[in-house]
Amino acid sequence: MVSGIFHSGSGLGNQLHRYVATRVLALDKGYEFSVVAPENFKGKDFMNLNFGKENNLLYTVESTTGKLNVVYPDQYNILGGKTWNWFEEKTNYYNPEFNFIEDNTIIDGEFQSTQYFGHRMKEIDEWLKVESTSSPEDMCVIGFRGGEFYMFPELGLPKEYFDEGIRIMKEINPNMRFEVQTDDPKLARQFFPDYPIVQDIAHNWRSVRSAKYAIIANSSFYILPRLLKHHENKDSLTLSPRYWARRNTKEWSRPDNFYRAFQYI
């Protein structure tokens, strides 16, 4: 069995990447799968995930970060007679050691490279099914990540990025409409005074998943729904920030956040 982790301090995007990596690895290797702390899942109100086989893994939680620290694996010899291994990604890019993970391993990491999961998009679409919603052909969703991102000058995207994306979309359709999907409506209103702004995690995820056109921020929340949309409809368009998490300093600190399906500006 391979087991992923839902840290209580992680957002939905990071949780889903860990979940997807766990299930893809299990499927590829013929292992069973499970999740540590499935009760922490932040999409449970609108997404019905299969958490796999129940486990008895024990953990503590860091009060400041919400990170789960699983009890040292050797202690699990007394829980079902199995010794657990531990794998941590430890890189900002694809770690090939992922392919050598053995059965009975707890895994942790970001797992945002398509090399971890891109060959299983059909299955991922089934795993992450949500209640269907439609998006008008003339609607472009803007995924705006605020909050702590704007505490760090290298992370928070400037208004000019979104203005350029809007300009490109209006070249496609001068009558294009825009709706902002965000975790920070107060800051979003400063960027987009004339567009509807929605702060509702279920609506946000469904809208980003269903829209043909999107302008996204450098947040893991938007990656999987947009990749699934492109898998479904090759004519979709996703505008994404070049350099991803370091657009403002022009450095690919996370090179695997380059997704060939997206167009970068």
Side-chain angles (χ1 to χ4, degrees):
M1 183 164 61
V2 60
S3 186
I5 301 174
F6 280 171
H7 298 290
S8 60
S10 294
L12 177 62
N14 285 338
Q15 289 182 342
L16 288 179
H17 277 277
R18 291 186 179 100
Y19 176 79
V20 163
T22 301
R23 288 203 64 175
V24 168
L25 177 65
L27 186 61
D28 288 351
K29 294 282 193 176
Y31 302 155
E32 293 182 303
F33 77 95
S34 68
V35 175
V36 180
E39 66 275 10
N40 289 334
F41 181 49
K42 293 184 177 177
K44 56 189 173 186
D45 290 338
F46 71 97
M47 188 179 293
N48 185 24
L49 293 188
N50 175 3
F51 295 123
K53 189 173 181 179
E54 186 176 356
N55 62 65
N56 294 316
L57 298 174
L58 308 176
Y59 59 86
T60 60
V61 182
E62 294 180 4
S63 59
T64 55
T65 65
K67 178 181 178 180
L68 271 63
N69 294 306
V70 181
V71 176
Y72 191 72
D74 283 350
Q75 296 188 25
Y76 296 127
N77 285 317
I78 63 173
L79 297 174
K82 294 181 179 180
T83 299
W84 285 84
N85 304 303
W86 177 267
F87 173 86
E88 190 169 1
E89 187 182 23
K90 292 185 179 180
T91 60
N92 288 333
Y93 47 85
Y94 175 69
N95 186 340
E97 284 299 311
F98 187 79
N99 295 283
F100 300 93
I101 293 173
E102 298 178 352
D103 203 2
N104 297 321
T105 299
I106 305 161
I107 69 171
D108 194 16
E110 301 300 324
F111 305 119
Q112 293 178 18
S113 170
T114 54
Q115 292 187 77
Y116 291 117
F117 59 80
H119 58 293
R120 294 287 188 181
M121 295 304 294
K122 181 178 179 181
E123 290 89 347
I124 293 168
D125 193 26
E126 288 298 318
W127 301 340
L128 306 187
K129 280 289 186 187
V130 296
E131 183 179 341
S132 62
T133 183
S134 60
S135 180
E137 185 76 14
D138 63 348
M139 174 63 72
C140 172
V141 299
I142 299 175
F144 179 78
R145 174 64 185 270
E148 71 275 13
F149 271 41
Y150 284 84
M151 296 173 62
F152 303 95
E154 68 272 21
L155 272 180
L157 292 168
K159 187 175 185 298
E160 290 76 15
Y161 163 75
F162 295 101
D163 289 343
E164 175 66 6
I166 291 168
R167 183 192 66 77
I168 293 170
M169 291 297 180
K170 286 186 174 181
E171 286 184 351
I172 297 171
N173 180 358
N175 297 315
M176 188 77 78
R177 294 184 291 148
F178 299 89
E179 184 177 84
V180 182
Q181 313 296 330
T182 185
D183 64 324
D184 190 342
K186 183 177 180 180
L187 184 59
R189 179 58 63 198
Q190 298 178 33
F191 278 65
F192 313 102
D194 301 322
Y195 300 148
I197 293 174
V198 181
Q199 182 191 24
D200 179 282
I201 193 169
H203 182 92
N204 298 155
W205 208 92
R206 289 191 184 106
S207 296
V208 174
R209 169 66 181 84
S210 64
K212 181 177 180 179
Y213 301 103
I215 305 166
I216 64 171
N218 47 342
S219 167
S220 63
F221 181 90
Y222 306 110
I223 298 171
L224 284 169
R226 290 313 297 170
L227 289 176
L228 288 170
K229 181 62 180 179
H230 282 270
H231 180 74
E232 170 190 271
N233 181 354
K234 305 301 183 184
D235 293 330
S236 300
L237 175 60
T238 301
L239 300 182
S240 181
R242 187 176 175 183
Y243 306 106
W244 194 249
R246 295 295 183 270
R247 185 181 188 274
N248 300 336
T249 57
K250 295 181 171 54
E251 175 191 2
W252 280 105
S253 64
R254 300 188 62 90
D256 282 344
N257 283 121
F258 175 84
Y259 303 98
R260 294 190 179 278
F262 298 171
Q263 178 176 317
Y264 287 80
I265 59 175

